[in-house]
Amino acid sequence: MAQAEPAKPDARGTTKPDLDLGKDAKAKGHAFSSPADRSVRTALPSAKTGAAAAPQAQSVAGNPTLAVGVTAYGTTAHGTEVDTTISSADTALKVTVDWGDGKTDVFDAYGSDSRTTAHVYAEVGSYKIKVTVADAANNVSAVNEVTFVTDGSDFTPYAPTRLLDTRNGTGAPMGMVQPYSSTRVKIGGNGGIPAGVTAVVLNVTVTNTSTDGHITAFPEGTERPTTSNVNYKARQTVPNLVIVPVGKNGYVEIANRGGAPVDLIADVTGYFSKTASSGYTPVAPSRFVDTREGLGTVKGQLGGRKTFSTQISGLRGVPQGISAVALNVTVTNPREAGHLSVFPGGGATPTASNLNFTAGQTIANSVIVPVGQDGKISVFNGAWAGTDVIVDVVGYYSTDSTSAFLPLSPERLVDTRDPNDPVYGKLWGQSYIYMPMSFDDPSITGFVLNSTVTNAEGDGYLTVTPDPNSMDDYINRSDVWPTPPNSSNLNWTKGATVPNLVQASTGSNGIIDLWNRGWDDVDLIVDLFGLYQQG
């Protein structure tokens, strides 16, 4: 990334978030365990015949106390730590940990022993971990095993489909969602979505609003978080993409936190599960389409009720054979109210929408959409008059991508309105906030954030991009002022409150920059919902 003059005095940074990954897994009690009394004692294979004897009762002679307890904890998206607790007479032992993926670890012990062994799986999924403690002197072994499921999940694209519309009773009883109440939408086991999915990608739209408020999506059966996913004002129709964990019963709850009834719409474009599928690769934001310039399509507005297709695979660092693409799609200069639908190239135009707009509005929304077999996506303008369309690519999903999704407890990282926030005070025009997210963990490749701009003193747009500086640069004041790319994540007008999901790449330094690309000051709110991790 290009660099310019030394950092200006107003460059400010927030504190590192408490990612709370494997370090507290044991404290939380989220474990897969098999106690020592489940050990199976077996005579070791005969040195002459090589055949093992049948399982024996634990009271047989020869180290009668030999047993092993096994507890596995998820520590990263692909990683685990296994605690082995051995009870034994004072004798030499050989311990073998079979990880269930064709790999083993072997170590020596003597008598009763407690040990922690770590492992990282190449793929997410369910694995049978077997621990064998062999006592050659007494010709006996103890075996115990546990089934471990990785914390991380892979992505499966899903053709854009409407799952919820309270205006007509799709997916829930017809009728507006009342103030400070919620509705729920069936995810697991709905249509072609299998039961047991861990998270879902939804485009949530709030409409028919009469007061200000916000929408929060969260797993059914859990406590509602204080963070928000969609912020709206009276008489607004506002969409926003959400990646939200799914409750144990297969539902997601969507809460109206405003003081008046609203209608809610939810469209699905993919889901995450523990079955190996597509991992994620974030990229520095790159512009693929701009109808104002003729980039990626013919020059000129996309006409009313018209569609264009554009190539994604094989361009600007995006490889062939990807399954889905993460985008930021912006509408500008629309001549009347309408909506955009983004869908796989060669597919049928869906009833689901990704972006709703009014005449003259500039608005953006994140989109995750399957890519057609030809490597293309299509964009449909649902209005009867033309509009300009901009498409920025921020990442892609493929079977060759290695980063799995790890949902986190929602956490507010930035609120410039809060006097206790390290970056309290409006974000100045043409300035940025740097967030040191994962500079000490290079296995983390990206974060799922929700950014909201409010109290805007003028029009502008937000750009989220990796920072070229390291933390040492900032600490030693040797940092340089970055040059942001020409992409945008969030567009606003004076006085507006606008949210948008951001899939942010950590780049090479684990630091993310949030740029106010307008000339006037704004307040900025950033909530953390998850991350992508290779290890």
Side-chain angles (χ1 to χ4, degrees), residues 396-420:
Y396 59 86
Y397 297 87
S398 73
T399 55
D400 292 332
S401 299
T402 57
S403 294
F405 176 65
L406 187 63
L408 302 173
S409 298
E411 178 184 353
R412 181 144 292 175
L413 301 183
V414 172
D415 189 343
T416 60
R417 306 166 304 175
D418 183 357
N420 296 316

Side-chain angles (χ1 to χ4, degrees), residues 423-447:
V423 291
Y424 172 63
K426 283 193 171 183
L427 177 56
W428 298 350
Q430 299 298 315
S431 185
Y432 74 100
I433 291 171
Y434 64 89
M435 296 199 306
M437 299 291 289
S438 58
F439 60 88
D440 56 354
D441 190 346
S443 70
I444 298 174
T445 59
F447 286 90

